[in-house]
Amino acid sequence: MSQLRVRFAPSPTGYLHIGGARTALFNYLLARKEKGTFILRIEDTDVARSTQESTDAILQAMEWLGLSYDEGPFYQSERFDLYRAKVQQLLEQGKAYRCYCTAEELEARREAALKSGGKPKYDGTCRERRDQPAGVPFVVRFRSAQEGETCFHDRIKGPIVFNNEELDDLIIQRSDGTPIYNFVVVVDDAEMGITLVIRGDDHINNTPRQILLYQALGYAVPEFAHVPMILGADKTRLSKRHGATSVMAYEELGFLPEALVNYLARLGWSCGDEEIFSMADLIEKFTLDNVGKSAGVFNPEKLLWLNAHYIKTGDRQRLAALLQRHLVAKGIDTNNGPNLEAVVKTLQERARTLVEMADGAVFYYAKEIIADPEAVAKWCTAEARPGYEAVLSALTACNDFTHAGIESAFAGVMSATGLKLGKLAPAVRVTLTGSTASPSVYEVLETLGQERSLERLRNGLKLFAA
Ligand code: GLU
């Protein structure tokens, strides 16, 4: 085990967002690559906004993506005693103070400051206050440095400097006694021995405040790596307007976790001009050095392309198992019909998602084929009927109902009638599948099997114009 200890620290106030998933992935990859430790911490101190449902959704999405952690999940809501003790420590050391200013007073002073062209930060009224009026609610504020600079070297963004003058005396404990994010994140990252904080760059402005808190609490400051945002095609922050943003929505839309992992890894990270990466490849090749500094644009087409790749090359047994639930959602009972793995084999090349694959599989399990009237009008003509009947009798007589056997049955009909496959196949396809878009007729026949195929072909006779 190396010294590296990283963590993913989601707030359970909603599902796992695509951006959060990428942050989790980067942490996971680096931990696995460097044989470090990956910790999951649920940041649920905001009791009003945190829900068990969100926590469950986040855990489920991490599992689906294959992001296993070594320690946790830890829950901040179970660690309030620790935070209280740390607030107490800072109070006793004079590094924090009780602030009795009311919301109205703060607001009035803020407005006055803005009017006179000043900064709307806390004016320090209670900084030197020593009395502790009984029964009056107070918050605890951190006595932040007023001068000098706070600098850090971000592993992705490079050197970053903040003027301490810009920093407010941060509230670390609310009047109801609950602690604030910027405080607990420091206590936990330090107590959990985190050596590198990888998180979204929306937290960059919090980092100098956190560094000052580490120092005040006597902790070593970890390294930081701030990952750029993910944007939509219009270059605004990725949101629901751009399509699905929840990890599990992609499962529902028929995406494979390895496609999403591959896509998210490449979004903002590169390795030459390679595009296809398994989790094992990523663990081997991932480094923070190749994470870009600027925001990545989410490209649904590319995700779809990767998904198609993983479906095409995927293990059939696994794809069949994953496909099941999409078929069940369509009310299809796969016990009644051809073997699902054989069905998958015929659709792998064509489907970009499991949902598309389920759509393509429906005809295999249909009790009755309701053929597209346009396709019927075009192909099930009086002229096509003799060829169709010849195919029907050749397939009835066929005693090797495999791809090769079926092909030679068609070859026999072609040489006997002089008709090309382009004339014979479309009507067969329409009566077998109901449409003209399907895997090849040979594949469909072989997959349906002789009995089901002949039944459909016989029923299909009714569709032909007299
Ligand atoms: N709970 C914070 C969030 O979800 C985590 C921030 C951090 O990683 O420090 O944004």
Side-chain angles (χ1 to χ4, degrees), residues 7 9-11 43 181 185 199 203:
R7 71 353 180 235
S11 304
E43 303 214 314
Y181 159 72
V185 77
R199 62 184 170 198
H203 286 288

Side-chain angles (χ1 to χ4, degrees), residues 10-15 42-55 58 174 181:
S11 304
T13 53
Y15 52 70
I42 304 293
E43 303 214 314
D44 56 353
T45 50
D46 187 344
V47 184
R49 293 179 61 225
S50 303
T51 65
Q52 185 60 44
E53 204 186 339
S54 298
T55 299
I58 292 167
R174 299 179 186 92
Y181 159 72

Side-chain angles (χ1 to χ4, degrees), residues 419-436:
L419 292 168
K420 294 222 168 73
L421 189 62
K423 286 277 177 209
L424 293 172
V428 173
R429 176 177 282 188
V430 171
T431 61
L432 287 177
T433 74
S435 86
T436 50

Side-chain angles (χ1 to χ4, degrees), residues 48 66 85 89 104 145 192 200 212 240 256 307 319 340 343:
Q89 177 188 325
E104 293 75 34
M192 293 177 186
L212 293 172
K240 278 194 187 146
L256 298 175
N307 204 52
L319 290 173
L340 191 53
V343 166

Side-chain angles (χ1 to χ4, degrees), residues 362-363 366-376 429-436 456 459 463:
V362 167
F363 79 83
K367 290 203 183 68
E368 193 189 349
I369 293 295
I370 316 252
D372 167 23
E374 254 177 59
V376 170
R429 176 177 282 188
V430 171
T431 61
L432 287 177
T433 74
S435 86
T436 50
R456 288 188 186 192
N459 282 339
L463 297 174

